[in-house]
Amino acid sequence: MLTLKIPHTLSEFTQNYYYKTELVKLCQQYKLPTSGTKAELNSYIIKYFKGIPSSQIKPIRNNSKHRPLPYSKISWLCPYNWCKF
């Protein structure tokens, strides 16, 4: 297994191809967000190399989970015309 060469400039970073797992490792190294798509991880690293402090680089997507619908909100009444029992 090859070791990951850590880029130190934007030029070094953009001249290489990285798998998502490698981008996650780079983000960990630079203390950047580690969740998201490959494109999002790339954008975090590019922002870092453009001089934005890692503390100011926030995840693009909010990872908040949807709360389940409470039982009190569930009804047998269907709001649509096509739904007739």
Side-chain angles (χ1 to χ4, degrees):
M1 179 185 227
L2 297 173
T3 58
L4 177 62
K5 182 180 180 286
I6 306 293
H8 296 289
T9 65
L10 180 58
S11 177
E12 286 179 19
F13 176 70
T14 56
Q15 289 176 0
N16 293 301
Y17 178 86
Y18 297 96
Y19 291 103
K20 184 175 178 182
T21 54
E22 295 172 320
L23 292 172
V24 170
K25 289 178 185 176
L26 288 174
C27 285
Q28 289 171 339
Q29 178 77 25
Y30 300 130
K31 298 183 181 5
L32 300 170
T34 57
S35 63
T37 64
K38 188 175 175 192
E40 291 169 343
L41 298 173
N42 270 310
S43 73
Y44 303 148
I45 296 170
I46 290 170
K47 287 177 186 178
Y48 176 80
F49 282 127
K50 287 187 175 182
I52 299 173
S54 59
S55 61
Q56 292 181 4
I57 300 172
K58 303 297 180 198
I60 293 172
R61 286 189 272 162
N62 185 357
N63 286 339
S64 66
K65 295 182 180 176
H66 296 286
R67 292 184 299 179
L69 190 62
Y71 290 113
S72 63
K73 299 287 183 182
I74 298 173
S75 171
W76 289 105
L77 300 175
C78 184
Y80 304 105
N81 251 351
W82 56 265
C83 183
K84 296 182 182 180
F85 290 98

